[in-house]
Amino acid sequence: MRIGIDVGGTNTDAVLMDGDRVLATVKTATTEDVTSGIMAALDGLHRQRAFAPAAVRAVMIGTTHFVNALLEARGLAPTAALRLCLPATASLPPLVDWPRRMVDALSGRAYLVHGGHEFDGRRIAALDEAEVRRAAEDMGRHGVRSVAITSVFSPVNAECEVRAAEIVAAELPGVAVSLSHEIGRIGLLERENATILNAALRELAARIVDGLASSVAGFGITAPLYLSQNDGTLMDLDFTRRHPVATLASGPTNSMRGAAMLSNVDTCAVVDVGGTTTDVGVLRRGFPREATTEVTIAGIRTNFRMPDVVSLALGGGSRVRDDATTGARVGPDSVGYELTSRALVFGGDTLTATDVAVAAGRAEIGDPDRVARLDRDLVRATMDQVVAQVADAIDRMRTSPEPLPVVVVGGGSVLLPDALPGAGSVRRPEHFPVANAIGAAIAQIGGEVDRVFAIRPGGRDAAVAEATQEAVDRAVAAGADPATVRVVDVDEVPLPYLPGNATRIRVRAVGDLDLAYPGGTGAAVPEEP
Amino acid sequence: MATTKVSFVDVEDLPDIAAGAAILGTGGGGDPHIGRLLAAAALRRHGPVRLVGLDDLPSDAVVLPVSLMGAPTVMVEKPPSVDQVALVVDTLAGYLGRAVTHIACAEAGGVNSLIPFVAAARLDVPLVDADMMGRAFPELQMVLPSLYGVPTTPMVIADEKGNRAVLDTVDNHWAERLARSATIDMGCTAVIATCPMTGQQAGESLVPGTLTLCRELGRLLRTSKAEHRDPVDGVVTRLRGGRLFSGKVVDVARRTVTGFARGEARLSGTDEHAGGELVLRFQNEHLIAEVDGVVRASVPDLLCTLDTETGTAVTTEALRYGQRLTVIVAPADPRWHTPGGIELAGPRYFGYDMDPVRFGEEP
């Protein structure tokens, strides 16, 4: 048996699973301290289906706690960014282009010292260790408690970051150090931003992880505890303490993966219709397709790997207007959480998409008599518009002309019919209100390689094979059962202007968590330089 | 006497200029984001930049275009510095033995539309509202001043370490070749100052008004949504061009050939183009567009790929399956359609054995 828990901003959901079978589900309120909410959820599961704590083999937790902390700019540690770069990149120092509010929230300080590499691994300048020491002393004087270290081209050569980390650790014992090559990819400012956010979350991560561990242990569960990452794989508690940013997008990822598992498909579009918005994402072989563009979090540009999700201003609470010139219009505004007081079927005075769905006979919510006399043309036009918008979003997300199964979840999913144009029949899984917790419970262990290879003529296959083997090895080293490891993604991008036919190759492999394996870290092993 | 048109560009104008420059980048030119950040850093520190119209340039002015050379993928990891941009200007002035009175823009498309603002702010020199291409092209000699006998060199290339090289070459192709290898040794991003010219030569050979055009295009995209206007229509009208095709990207093939990103994208038609197919061939920038097997537009005209909904430019690197794009064509500066212009940047130079298809004269 395993337990999946999703700690959201509002609700804490939990599921008890045996293999692919859902044994119990529970929804409780998230508490300020997180811990008591989890205790309540575990109690709830136990009441529904008594289980021996010792029979639980693993607990997987997904949480939006860290992304919310960033969005609300609270609980962030005083953080310094140290860049190893001079004489390059001085005009765009760390924290450039950050909203003032965020810089203040982490009392951000920036330091530049000599160091870093060129694209081909040559040095820009030797690391100036004395400068690093002086920077560390200054950080100490200013009460910095967490340091983000970024070296130019560290994804090619990380030696400067590793050495600077040793110096900072010696000068400032007890201060957390985050290294950019473990966090992001090529793109200096975006990778550095991600590393600074990670650094700012380190203290919060330590607190939350301790809380999670003690609440699970307090229930008598001795099984290992994991957190789910942005890409749908797991990390252990120690890795989570060091890399809290790896959880930032785990919410949508878990929801999509959970929905797909419940529907028994691994390549599909997932449509999550909420009260205000509809999110459409795509799973390919069980994992979300990642966005290729920069992702902005709390106004800060990063290059995290985030699931590619299209959001529509369309949901169960969307207002519906009958305009004389343009006809029926759905949204973009919504009555949101006031649906149950403002919608017509609940005795309110505002026409919403839910009212129209009830009038169309797609749902039985509230009092259908209140919408019985709605204009039939308006109902038809509104429903057609909803379908057209969703079908269009799904079509945009397709990656190939092959038909793509569609899984529909969320409280507002009653708006959608059982078939969509261009998509065929839609699946509506059971238990979808706890899809996030199920997504966490089924998370796997991953390994990844992302490197620039110089490909000689005829050498492409060998380079891809080398990268693939490394990715598989990493997944196994991280604790995946070797018999279950498979390659889920191979991506090749030729880099223009670089000599020697340079091609960036990215390979990702995943496997089931090997519960018998003692040495696994439960996390992707960072690439060695 | 013509009225003097002097305007100022400040930090808040830069996002519009960057968005407009991405359109004139015709799929290439590099992401203007880094250029915008650098220009913002320079303007915040040194104040707004004075923009001077081409007509108001004294004939004895010493005009110097500055730009970046290198790989966009490297530029995002090792962005150049403000002082590096200023250094090439000072160095070339030293070689010429004359002070530079005006900075100019080499390429109005992509990241290079923003770099001259860095030099102008840092050196407190006015910037000419014009550029050498009216768009983006991949090689140094692909500039209109080449048609007027203005050589690429003497030029200066500099890295962030303080290394500088002055190149004075026998012809423009040698300049491209030597500068390209120096760029790689300098870590694949370098700042260059090329084609020093007089005010009179600039007046004859540059494309006027292209920096304010970038700003207008950017503003158009920003305001269209709020004013419920179709941004693509706005761009097409402003560029006096036409819509070529609207569709969805169904295939993208890329390969690196001799240091350039070549490839093609295939679009399947939507709306009024349903059932049709467009093939775009690119080498950093878009070169040729074929609709249902017939070439409908080509270099030297501008082929821009815009997001159908927002009008935002989509670069060749960012092209991917499923995007909804509208491909528009806009006329290049007429001088690009002279025999000399076509020799420099027509389809044959890029390896396509065909005459250019000019906007307004399509088959």
Side-chain angles (χ1 to χ4, degrees):
Chain A
M1 278 190 297
R2 50 173 76 188
I3 290 174
I5 305 174
D6 175 65
V7 185
T10 315
N11 289 316
T12 295
D13 304 336
V15 295
L16 179 68
M17 292 183 74
D18 183 10
D20 284 353
R21 271 193 315 137
V22 179
L23 304 178
T25 70
V26 66
K27 222 174 201 2
T28 60
T30 296
T31 53
E32 182 64 36
D33 65 348
V34 177
T35 322
S36 45
I38 290 187
M39 293 298 280
L42 291 173
D43 274 335
L45 284 183
H46 195 265
R47 269 198 304 279
Q48 251 182 61
R49 169 89 184 223
F51 60 90
V56 175
R57 304 289 301 277
V59 179
M60 286 85 163
I61 298 180
T63 180
T64 53
H65 208 83
F66 299 114
V67 69
N68 290 342
L70 291 179
L71 295 176
E72 295 164 24
R74 65 174 163 80
L76 306 180
T79 299
L82 172 64
R83 191 194 291 169
L84 319 172
C85 60
L86 293 178
T89 77
S91 298
L92 301 178
L95 304 168
V96 70
D97 218 28
W98 276 47
R100 189 74 238 166
R101 177 179 95 99
M102 286 302 289
V103 177
D104 292 344
L106 44 91
S107 312
R109 305 184 66 79
Y111 300 85
L112 284 79
V113 305
H114 285 79
H117 287 83
E118 303 282 6
F119 72 95
D120 53 3
R122 283 177 292 153
R123 282 180 176 174
I124 293 174
L127 179 68
D128 191 328
E129 301 195 355
E131 281 179 351
V132 175
R133 238 168 252 121
R134 279 199 297 278
E137 284 163 21
D138 190 71
M139 292 172 195
R141 275 194 296 280
H142 286 91
V144 166
R145 294 206 299 270
S146 193
V147 182
I149 302 180
T150 307
S151 174
V152 175
F153 275 109
S154 64
V156 172
N157 187 332
E159 67 180 22
C160 288
E161 289 185 1
V162 171
R163 178 65 193 132
E166 290 169 2
I167 298 170
V168 170
E171 293 289 323
L172 302 172
V175 162
V177 178
S178 304
L179 304 184
S180 85
H181 74 278
E182 294 180 356
I183 289 185
R185 46 186 157 176
I186 296 282
L188 177 73
L189 296 177
E190 290 78 12
R191 183 175 74 254
E192 180 176 70
N193 287 347
T195 311
I196 297 170
L197 293 180
N198 189 71
L201 288 170
R202 291 280 294 267
E203 290 189 350
L204 185 65
R207 261 201 323 276
I208 295 292
V209 164
D210 288 345
L212 296 176
S214 71
S215 50
V216 171
F219 202 79
I221 296 174
T222 52
L225 188 56
Y226 299 92
L227 271 89
S228 56
Q229 309 188 66
N230 299 344
D231 65 357
T233 60
L234 295 169
M235 53 184 174
D236 68 9
L237 296 189
D238 186 48
F239 192 88
T240 310
R241 272 180 229 273
R242 286 182 286 122
H243 299 99
V245 279
T247 66
L248 292 191
S250 61
T253 300
N254 283 341
S255 142
M256 283 163 63
R257 283 176 45 81
M261 192 227 77
L262 290 169
S263 313
N264 212 14
V265 287
D266 75 348
T267 296
C268 61
V270 178
V271 181
D272 187 346
V273 190
T276 308
T277 57
T278 294
D279 294 334
V280 182
V282 167
L283 285 179
R284 195 168 47 189
R285 307 183 67 184
F287 288 88
R289 190 174 75 217
E290 290 168 352
T292 51
T293 48
E294 285 74 21
V295 178
T296 300
I297 298 168
I300 296 158
R301 216 166 118 120
T302 70
N303 57 7
F304 287 126
R305 293 179 188 154
M306 296 290 222
D308 193 5
V309 171
V310 167
S311 283
L312 303 172
L314 176 71
S318 291
R319 294 186 62 167
V320 177
R321 292 184 181 82
D322 191 9
D323 192 289
T325 53
T326 58
R329 193 155 60 82
V330 191
D333 52 336
S334 164
V335 298
Y337 69 93
E338 295 178 316
L339 180 73
T340 51
S341 59
R342 293 182 61 189
L344 300 183
V345 289
F346 292 112
D349 57 1
T350 309
L351 180 61
T352 66
T354 297
D355 296 316
V356 178
V358 172
R362 286 206 186 134
E364 287 173 32
I365 299 170
D367 180 0
D369 288 344
R370 291 178 176 273
V371 292
R373 274 181 299 281
L374 271 186
D375 178 49
R376 300 318 294 173
D377 288 341
L378 174 71
V379 170
R380 201 175 311 113
T382 306
M383 288 289 109
D384 286 353
Q385 224 183 92
V386 168
V387 166
Q389 277 193 45
V390 172
D392 186 64
I394 293 168
D395 193 43
R396 274 163 196 265
M397 296 295 286
R398 293 153 75 100
T399 48
S400 78
E402 279 97 64
L404 190 64
V406 175
V407 176
V408 176
V409 297
S413 57
V414 293
L415 298 184
L416 295 178
D418 290 330
L420 286 169
S425 67
V426 305
R427 298 157 200 248
R428 298 173 192 272
E430 271 185 280
H431 301 303
F432 72 73
V434 291
N436 281 39
I438 290 170
I442 61 167
Q444 292 171 299
I445 293 284
E448 184 175 279
V449 170
D450 180 354
R451 218 166 43 230
V452 176
F453 289 78
I455 296 184
R456 275 169 271 289
R460 181 207 159 258
D461 291 351
V464 171
E466 183 191 332
T468 304
Q469 188 56 49
E470 249 184 270
V472 169
D473 291 347
R474 287 210 172 114
V476 172
D481 176 356
T484 64
V485 174
R486 64 198 172 106
V487 172
V488 290
D489 201 9
V490 179
D491 192 22
E492 294 172 61
V493 182
L495 303 177
Y497 295 105
L498 292 189
N501 232 352
T503 299
R504 185 165 143 192
I505 301 180
R506 246 174 83 191
V507 182
R508 219 149 66 84
V510 296
D512 292 337
L513 179 63
D514 184 354
L515 293 171
Y517 183 85
T521 61
V525 177
E527 259 183 74
E528 293 303 325
Chain B
M1 194 187 147
T3 49
T4 301
K5 285 175 290 177
V6 177
S7 67
F8 287 88
V9 169
D10 212 340
V11 179
E12 58 268 23
D13 298 311
L14 297 175
D16 283 347
I17 296 175
I23 295 176
L24 297 187
T26 64
D31 181 354
H33 178 68
I34 287 285
R36 181 181 72 73
L37 290 181
L38 266 183
L43 267 65
R44 245 178 239 127
R45 179 147 190 178
H46 303 285
V49 164
R50 220 161 3 122
L51 217 49
V52 177
L54 208 48
D55 296 342
D56 301 315
L57 208 54
S59 60
D60 61 349
V62 179
V63 180
L64 188 59
V66 294
S67 55
L68 299 184
M69 186 162 186
T73 35
V74 173
M75 222 169 280
V76 298
E77 179 68 23
K78 195 185 76 168
S81 71
V82 171
D83 287 343
Q84 192 183 349
V85 177
L87 184 65
V88 292
V89 179
D90 288 341
T91 304
L92 196 57
Y95 184 76
L96 295 171
R98 273 177 296 163
V100 170
T101 62
H102 293 77
I103 298 294
C105 174
E107 181 181 42
V111 62
N112 275 330
S113 57
L114 277 310
I115 296 304
F117 288 94
V118 178
R122 166 69 176 69
L123 298 167
D124 193 22
V125 169
L127 174 61
V128 184
D129 181 12
D131 80 303
M132 300 204 283
M133 302 180 189
R135 50 164 297 153
F137 273 130
E139 295 182 25
L140 286 182
Q141 74 283 0
M142 296 176 172
V143 294
L144 289 171
S146 295
L147 302 181
Y148 292 81
V150 177
T152 304
T153 68
M155 68 171 281
V156 171
I157 179 164
D159 68 12
E160 73 285 346
K161 299 168 189 77
N163 293 311
R164 295 163 288 166
V166 178
L167 300 179
D168 212 339
T169 57
V170 293
D171 65 31
N172 290 347
H173 288 280
W174 273 106
E176 161 69 27
R177 189 169 174 173
L178 293 175
R180 190 69 60 188
S181 43
T183 300
I184 291 169
D185 283 336
M186 287 177 167
C188 252
T189 52
V191 181
I192 56 173
T194 53
C195 299
M197 61 183 98
T198 64
Q200 184 176 345
Q201 288 172 314
E204 286 166 3
S205 65
L206 299 189
V207 184
T210 42
L211 297 180
T212 42
L213 172 62
C214 286
R215 182 166 60 183
E216 274 178 58
L217 290 172
R219 191 176 297 162
L220 244 164
L221 297 187
R222 182 164 49 82
T223 54
S224 290
K225 195 174 179 189
E227 294 165 9
H228 301 294
R229 283 183 285 112
D230 180 354
V232 176
D233 276 344
V235 171
V236 167
T237 307
R238 182 60 189 84
L239 293 176
R240 297 192 189 85
R243 283 172 182 265
L244 194 59
F245 197 81
S246 292
K248 168 178 162 168
V249 179
V250 291
D251 190 32
V252 185
R254 293 187 182 88
R255 60 196 177 275
T256 311
V257 179
T258 60
F260 291 110
R262 300 196 77 140
E264 7 355 277
R266 220 168 275 279
L267 273 72
S268 161
T270 50
D271 308 317
E272 71 266 41
H273 300 105
E277 186 187 67
L278 172 133
V279 177
L280 268 176
R281 302 188 193 281
F282 53 84
Q283 172 181 320
N284 296 5
E285 285 80 30
H286 297 304
L287 302 175
I288 286 171
E290 293 171 19
V291 179
D292 299 328
V294 180
V295 176
R296 295 285 307 280
S298 77
V299 277
D301 280 341
L302 287 72
L303 273 158
C304 314
T305 37
L306 308 181
D307 181 298
T308 298
E309 212 169 288
T310 63
T312 313
V314 177
T315 63
T316 55
E317 282 171 344
L319 282 175
R320 63 187 175 86
Y321 187 97
Q323 280 165 336
R324 304 300 171 87
L325 301 180
T326 296
V327 181
I328 68 164
V329 56
D333 185 282
R335 291 168 288 183
W336 282 120
H337 286 283
T338 61
I342 290 167
E343 197 188 322
L344 274 182
R348 284 199 176 81
Y349 186 87
F350 294 99
Y352 298 93
D353 189 20
M354 54 170 273
D355 293 325
V357 174
R358 191 173 181 178
F359 178 67
E361 298 174 3
E362 304 91 338

